[in-house]
Amino acid sequence: MQVLAFANHLMFGIALFVISTLLTWCMLRIGIMSMPNRRSSHQNPIPNSGGVAIVLTFMTGFAVFYAVSDDVRLSEAYLAGFAAGAVCIAVISLLDDLGHLRTFTYKLLAQLIAAMLLIAFGIVFRRFSIPLIGEVDIGFWGYPLTIIWVMAMTNSFNFMDGLDGLAGGCGVIVALFFGIATYFEGSYFVYIFCYVIFASALGFLIFNFPRARIFMGDVGSQFLGFSFAA
């Protein structure tokens, strides 16, 4: 049964990789461009819409898994909180990539709202396991810590985008090793979550290796950072 499950996951992962590759190829034709400036690593305008392919592939893959597999069952409130936060991040980030937002304030506000949505639906730090000490309940401090964690992770990935292969490569590596670790820990929800992100980001990455033909933009980098944080 495990061999059959692995084969099914492998085939579906390949299918998601193909979907992400095709969507990224389509995004190359979309006129959302990253114009070079004094801080840029590229000299010519490059499409900045690869993150749309990552988000759409992830949504497709996770929706299929949720429909057919019991392994991705989780509290409906948790899923609603993540979905609401992810949509908030993706929409504001896309508007920024399109040039409709002129200041970083809107992105910070979107990140704050997304973090608050996670908290509102019950996704919050409650305790830590500290070696030689054991579990420590952090009480009220879990709320501000959750906000700081989500915003820090989201911006960490956001700052990576713009260097060929950096944000996409980190996303693939983190998803791979985090997915392996959580599989052996028996956390199948997080394993499948990472597995879908891995396939989604890998399809984009083949167009993002030096010299990059496309960037993921804020919609991709912030989505990845927020997803890993959540």
Side-chain angles (χ1 to χ4, degrees), residues 90-130:
V91 169
I92 296 301
S93 298
L94 182 59
L95 290 175
D96 185 61
D97 287 338
L98 290 169
H100 297 323
L101 305 181
R102 298 300 180 185
T103 69
F104 196 72
T105 305
Y106 294 103
K107 290 195 288 187
L108 287 177
L109 181 60
Q111 294 164 14
L112 177 60
I113 292 173
M116 295 293 287
L117 284 168
L118 291 182
I119 291 174
F121 283 91
I123 302 176
V124 62
F125 282 118
R126 301 185 187 281
R127 63 186 64 87
F128 283 114
S129 294
I130 302 176

Side-chain angles (χ1 to χ4, degrees), residues 2 15 32 41 60 75-76 89 91 97 101 117 119 127 133 137 156 163 168 177 184 196 208:
Q2 288 185 340
I32 304 176
S41 62
T60 300
S75 164
E76 298 291 336
I89 289 287
V91 169
D97 287 338
L101 305 181
L117 284 168
I119 291 174
R127 63 186 64 87
I133 296 178
D137 194 319
S156 293
L163 291 177
F177 285 97
F184 286 108
V196 175
N208 187 238

Side-chain angles (χ1 to χ4, degrees), residues 5 11 35 41 44 51 57-58 64 70-71 75 77 89 92-93 98 108 124 128 154 162 165 171 177 181 185 209:
M11 293 301 296
M35 306 304 293
S41 62
N44 300 308
T57 304
F58 173 83
V64 171
D70 291 334
D71 288 337
S75 164
I89 289 287
I92 296 301
S93 298
L98 290 169
L108 287 177
V124 62
F128 283 114
T154 303
F177 285 97
E185 287 291 324
F209 275 114

